[in-house]
Amino acid sequence: MSWQNTLICWSLRRNFLPETRKPVDVARVRTLTSRRVWTPPPPRGWRLREQYACPEAPLRGEWLVRERRAEAGHATRTILYLHGGGYYFCSPRTHRAIAFGLAKRTDADCFSLAYRLAPEHPFPAAHDDALAAYRRLLAEGVPASSIVIAGDSAGGGLALATLVALRDAGDALPAGAILFSPWTDLAATGASIRDNDGRDPMFCGDVFARIAPLYLGTTDAAHPYVSPLYADLHGLPPLSLYAGSTETLLDDTRRVAERARAAGVSVDCEIAPNLPHIWPIYAPFLPEARRTLDDAARFVRRVSAASEPGAGGVALSSAVQSPEIQSSVRSIAS
């Protein structure tokens, strides 16, 4: 474990964890988040295009695009990124370290969606926004086989729920999905919520049961588009999942990986020893974050390779679902 990770976990225990033990105060959390002291600039050779002016636009958020192709059309790959924040705080701006890191490593255009937040906009607002954004990409000529949906925490659960809804509706599915520490069970039934309470440097165990109602509204927590853990996962494109071994949400990742593999989905699942919730957000400072983004980028290149020139034009998002391709579970070396 790096000294940087030790420092980050110490800081989280001192500053973030105590906040999760307090009653939920939406305004306070949003204010604290807005005071974030640093956000990465666009990588050299890239252009950031913010699209926040029209609140109803399906593609409300921000694009990161290579300057040399900013006016020349779409890239070979496109990442649709869904940020975390319990469905009630954070934004594309707070999660640029992950989105920018993935785009740069994969030479992909990356669109980070500013979906509507709870409690002002409970389910299905965020879900509808994610579906609308994906469908707008298709309508604008981006091939489904060149798109990878990625998300962290609540955004990771939203990404998986989006895949399920797209499959149910008969839409063309993206090439794959990357889920960093996804929140997939708003009923908060995972054993790790209890077992890792006190080990997780970021969250106490009962916080998720307290914040879930903000997004749920009157919806049952076991609704598959709210908690995709309970969805039928057959027919989904390849998934790459990451979680820390001490996370209270660890079982939200492990159980999805098990259910997806049982449904015949190609799954990579990495359980990282002693790393905090959505640790890639600490790139480039944290070496483990850089390594995880490198690994996620390899997944993006692998599953979207069929959309590259000379690959034959076959949609890999369908091909990789064959029984011959095995799922894998690995651990990140400490």
Side-chain angles (χ1 to χ4, degrees), residues 189-225:
T189 64
S192 60
I193 286 181
R194 300 181 303 275
D195 297 343
N196 280 344
D197 190 11
R199 300 181 67 212
D200 189 326
M202 195 168 181
F203 293 112
C204 64
D206 68 355
V207 67
F208 300 102
R210 288 188 280 114
I211 65 175
L214 298 177
Y215 181 58
L216 288 172
T218 60
T219 305
D220 189 332
H223 191 298
Y225 295 169

Side-chain angles (χ1 to χ4, degrees), residues 311-334:
V314 179
L316 192 63
S317 56
S318 298
V320 294
Q321 295 174 36
S322 64
E324 291 77 12
I325 296 182
Q326 301 298 314
S327 302
S328 64
V329 178
R330 307 186 303 274
S331 290
I332 299 175
S334 57

Side-chain angles (χ1 to χ4, degrees), residues 125-143:
H127 183 73
D128 288 348
D129 289 353
L131 287 172
Y134 177 79
R135 287 167 175 159
R136 175 58 67 90
L137 291 176
L138 298 187
E140 293 187 353
V142 181

